[in-house]
Amino acid sequence: MAEKKQRTADLSIGASTRPPLKNQDSDKDFNDYFIGPRGLDHHSRWPVFLRIHGSVTPEMVLLLLFVAGWLSMITLISKFVHDLSVHRLLLTVLDFVVGLALSFRSSTAYERYNDRRKYWTQLTFASQNLARLILIHVDERYEKDAALGNQDLLAKINCLNLIAAYAVALKHKLRFEPYMHYDDLKHLVGHLDTFAPDADQPDTRKKRNVFNTVGQFLGLPMAESNTRKLLKRSRVPLDNLSLEINNHLSVYMKSIYGKGTFKVSSYQTQSLNALTTFNDVLVGTDRILSTPLPIAYSIAISQITWVYILLLPFQLYKLLGYITIPASVFATYIILGIALIGREI
């Protein structure tokens, strides 16, 4: 017990003095913490309405150019060849339909986004709670035998790594990346007996060329990669790495119950509840992923939106003249912006 307290004290003292940890199997270090919402590049001194980074504006460049060309053509024809304008009653009717469609699209998208965030919060809470229980309340049998104590310590460290690996494996699963050769995962679960190593095909990953990079930046559908292609190319069963990790965690919990190194019954109940939460998050996120907005709704909303946009110059020319072009482009920016944000979420 004295040795255990001394190791804990050493860890506490060294935590504030050691340099940033760096994984030997990858080039990740402490700077990798500042990514995603924590990214320093998200800080900008520009006003919000002038920011480009993080907006859907780049994806709308080609669409707005197309719409501007269409608006210019209809306006010039109406001015110099034949008046193509129609009564604005059609615009009034379509206003309600387009507003209803975009509202439904946005509310559905945000509901799915919020559900995903709730599930990830549950996973974070359960992971932290289970890791605390294992780290603090699982005894190491050094008083009986030093070898047994070392085995218990190694098993405890392995369990903590698996708790972290579960979230990483779930992330890759939701991105249709079923293998384990990723830099943030292979060092955590490379020693496990799972289906993933046998199905590993790192050679299937192709580097993006300039066309794909630019096309994805501009939102071209033909440049978007099929995220499910790795699943299709698999030669052997992929199984579910997250579920396999959860099974290994369950085996470890059973072993410490049997050894008597995890004695408090209330803590045992909390640990089992945490594993149940892991599985609940897995099922819930998979439900959200596999139940998107029905394709018929997506097609109908897209068609209604584009019909409304293409009819704008016919209904606004008589009232606005040449101002129809910038006014309609601005209206298109608003409508397509809301639609693209809903699709991105």
Side-chain angles (χ1 to χ4, degrees):
M1 183 62 66
E3 294 179 0
K4 180 178 179 181
K5 292 181 178 179
Q6 182 62 38
R7 287 197 308 275
T8 304
D10 293 340
L11 290 174
S12 301
I13 295 173
S16 59
T17 59
R18 62 171 179 247
L21 296 178
K22 187 170 183 178
N23 186 353
Q24 295 179 355
D25 297 331
S26 68
D27 57 353
K28 295 183 179 297
D29 55 21
F30 186 72
N31 291 329
D32 295 319
Y33 177 82
F34 296 99
I35 59 176
R38 304 185 185 95
L40 299 180
D41 57 342
H42 285 204
H43 174 74
S44 176
R45 296 182 180 180
W46 288 94
V48 175
F49 70 93
L50 292 178
R51 296 182 187 178
I52 300 298
H53 179 76
S55 71
V56 295
T57 301
E59 299 183 24
M60 300 174 60
V61 172
L62 296 180
L63 299 177
L64 292 178
L65 289 176
F66 167 76
V67 172
W70 170 262
L71 294 170
S72 300
M73 182 184 68
I74 299 301
T75 302
L76 292 176
I77 292 176
S78 299
K79 178 67 176 179
F80 297 105
V81 181
H82 179 71
D83 189 1
L84 299 176
S85 61
V86 297
H87 197 276
R88 295 184 64 253
L89 179 62
L90 180 60
L91 183 64
T92 304
V93 174
L94 288 179
D95 278 341
F96 173 76
V97 177
V98 172
L100 184 63
L102 293 179
S103 175
F104 173 74
R105 184 72 177 89
S106 300
S107 61
T108 303
Y110 187 80
E111 181 182 358
R112 290 163 54 82
Y113 168 81
N114 193 40
D115 286 344
R116 289 193 297 267
R117 188 68 192 108
K118 288 180 179 179
Y119 277 120
W120 204 255
T121 302
Q122 291 179 18
L123 179 60
T124 302
F125 173 78
S127 299
Q128 293 176 351
N129 191 44
L130 181 60
R132 175 179 55 82
L133 292 174
I134 298 301
L135 180 63
I136 304 300
H137 299 287
V138 175
D139 297 328
E140 301 160 15
R141 295 170 293 178
Y142 281 101
E143 66 279 358
K144 293 184 179 180
D145 186 9
L148 287 177
N150 290 333
Q151 291 178 6
D152 293 339
L153 178 61
L154 290 176
K156 179 186 294 188
I157 295 174
N158 180 61
C159 178
L160 298 178
N161 286 334
L162 291 183
I163 294 174
Y166 184 88
V168 179
L170 179 60
K171 175 194 72 173
H172 287 293
K173 178 184 181 300
L174 297 176
R175 295 178 180 179
F176 301 103
E177 299 170 347
Y179 309 126
M180 56 182 294
H181 60 270
Y182 312 105
D183 292 337
D184 57 351
L185 183 61
K186 63 181 179 181
H187 66 286
L188 296 174
V189 296
H191 62 287
L192 296 183
D193 182 17
T194 62
F195 283 90
D198 296 332
D200 204 358
Q201 300 180 29
D203 295 336
T204 59
R205 297 181 297 171
K206 296 182 180 179
K207 296 182 179 180
R208 294 189 300 174
N209 53 36
V210 177
F211 171 78
N212 288 336
T213 303
V214 176
Q216 291 184 13
F217 180 76
L218 295 177
L220 296 177
M222 64 285 295
E224 295 181 358
S225 177
N226 183 6
T227 56
R228 296 169 176 82
K229 62 184 178 182
L230 293 180
L231 300 176
K232 184 178 180 180
R233 293 175 181 174
S234 175
R235 298 165 297 182
V236 295
L238 296 175
D239 203 68
N240 189 326
L241 182 58
S242 300
L243 186 59
E244 291 183 274
I245 293 175
N246 201 12
N247 291 339
H248 282 278
L249 288 172
S250 299
V251 171
Y252 172 74
M253 301 308 298
K254 180 180 178 181
S255 68
I256 60 177
Y257 297 158
K259 295 175 184 177
T261 55
F262 196 41
K263 302 175 182 178
V264 182
S265 59
S266 61
Y267 293 158
Q268 294 179 4
T269 302
Q270 292 182 40
S271 63
L272 292 178
N273 290 338
L275 296 181
T276 302
T277 301
F278 282 10
N279 196 69
D280 182 55
V281 171
L282 172 63
V283 175
T285 53
D286 187 68
R287 172 184 60 82
I288 296 174
L289 179 68
S290 58
T291 315
L293 186 69
I295 188 63
Y297 274 112
S298 299
I299 294 175
I301 292 173
S302 178
Q303 291 174 342
I304 293 172
T305 303
W306 275 104
V307 167
Y308 178 82
I309 291 173
L310 296 178
L311 289 179
L312 280 176
F314 297 96
Q315 303 170 82
L316 296 180
Y317 171 74
K318 182 174 293 187
L319 181 64
L320 300 178
Y322 284 115
I323 302 179
T324 300
I325 299 175
S328 299
V329 169
F330 183 70
T332 301
Y333 178 84
I334 296 174
I335 296 170
L336 292 182
I338 296 175
L340 289 176
I341 290 173
R343 187 189 70 176
E344 181 178 340
I345 293 178

